[in-house]
Amino acid sequence: CDVVDVDVDLSLYKVGVIRDLEGCGNSKAKNGKAYKVCSVQIDPDCPEDLVTVVTSASNVRQGSRIVVAPIGSTILTDEGESMTVQKATVGGVISEGLFCDSIMLGWSGGGKGVAAQLPYRFEIGSSPPSSKPRKEEEEKPEEPVIKPAEGLYEKKLTKEEKKKLAEERRKAKRAAKEASKLEAESEKVDTVL
């Protein structure tokens, strides 16, 4: 078996984030896995400018940070030959790139056909690292929080909050009673005069 040394430019590959993911009907890959249509952000300056990638990789999820070989980049085939990525119709949907696995990136570890996942510290649009990153404890960046409409999901009060609220109501009731007493007394004084 001859090893062909082909120079693949990894700098054209981009770190991307899957923003949306949906099934591709009944279309399946040769390996029998169902295709998924992924909308991927690879441009950090244009979050609304997404590329479509159709894949059968089972490990992709919405929010996954993966490596994308966009149109015009070069990949190594299973036979060790270089091939330029082009727009292609896969499962009836136009795919504008493909997800790279560890083997395509020259990383040790990872399986064929399993999309290479990256930690959140790698910026969208940047080139992938030259070796597989180690898993480190890191927090997921804060996603914008969509607050439910007011009144739909009201926060339950703690015991202390309930006590405080009840005490405030009692004070307000006492103050109102005192005010009405004072008002009644002032009316008595006015009628006497």
Side-chain angles (χ1 to χ4, degrees):
C1 176
D2 292 337
V3 176
V4 180
D5 186 23
V6 179
D7 192 27
V8 175
D9 186 7
L10 296 180
S11 68
L12 295 177
Y13 294 0
K14 301 289 180 203
V15 173
V17 174
I18 298 174
R19 296 294 183 202
D20 192 32
L21 178 109
E22 58 188 55
C24 191
N26 293 329
S27 300
K28 294 191 178 203
K30 292 176 191 171
N31 60 9
K33 293 182 181 177
Y35 283 123
K36 296 174 189 155
V37 181
C38 304
S39 297
V40 185
Q41 178 188 354
I42 58 173
D43 185 349
D45 300 325
C46 293
E48 65 281 345
D49 189 19
L50 306 174
V51 295
T52 301
V53 177
V54 180
T55 185
S56 65
S58 58
N59 67 326
V60 295
R61 308 277 183 275
Q62 189 168 349
S64 293
R65 198 161 290 238
I66 39 72
V67 179
V68 179
I71 295 172
S73 59
T74 306
I75 62 165
L76 281 178
T77 64
D78 293 339
E79 293 79 34
E81 298 175 7
S82 65
M83 180 179 87
T84 303
V85 177
Q86 299 175 354
K87 255 187 199 183
T89 302
V90 181
V93 178
I94 295 176
S95 185
E96 302 167 310
L98 53 92
F99 295 145
C100 299
D101 59 25
S102 293
I103 297 165
M104 293 169 66
L105 295 167
W107 296 352
S108 60
K112 181 179 180 284
V114 177
Q117 303 273 333
L118 292 173
Y120 293 99
R121 69 178 181 269
F122 290 94
E123 294 183 23
I124 296 171
S126 64
S127 295
S130 58
S131 61
K132 187 174 183 175
R134 292 188 169 271
K135 286 194 177 200
E136 297 174 6
E137 287 297 317
E138 66 176 349
E139 290 187 24
K140 199 173 184 178
E142 278 194 34
E143 296 287 328
V145 177
I146 300 171
K147 293 183 180 179
E150 202 166 306
L152 282 181
Y153 304 101
E154 291 187 23
K155 176 187 164 210
K156 288 190 175 186
L157 299 176
T158 64
K159 205 174 206 178
E160 291 78 26
E161 290 171 327
K162 286 179 184 177
K163 285 181 181 178
K164 188 177 179 182
L165 189 59
E167 183 61 34
E168 288 172 2
R169 285 181 185 153
R170 281 193 290 271
K171 284 181 182 178
K173 197 173 183 180
R174 277 189 219 125
K177 224 179 202 182
E178 288 292 320
S180 67
K181 262 187 190 179
L182 290 174
E183 191 176 309
E185 285 180 18
S186 68
E187 283 179 15
K188 280 184 184 177
V189 172
D190 287 343
T191 54
V192 172
L193 295 174

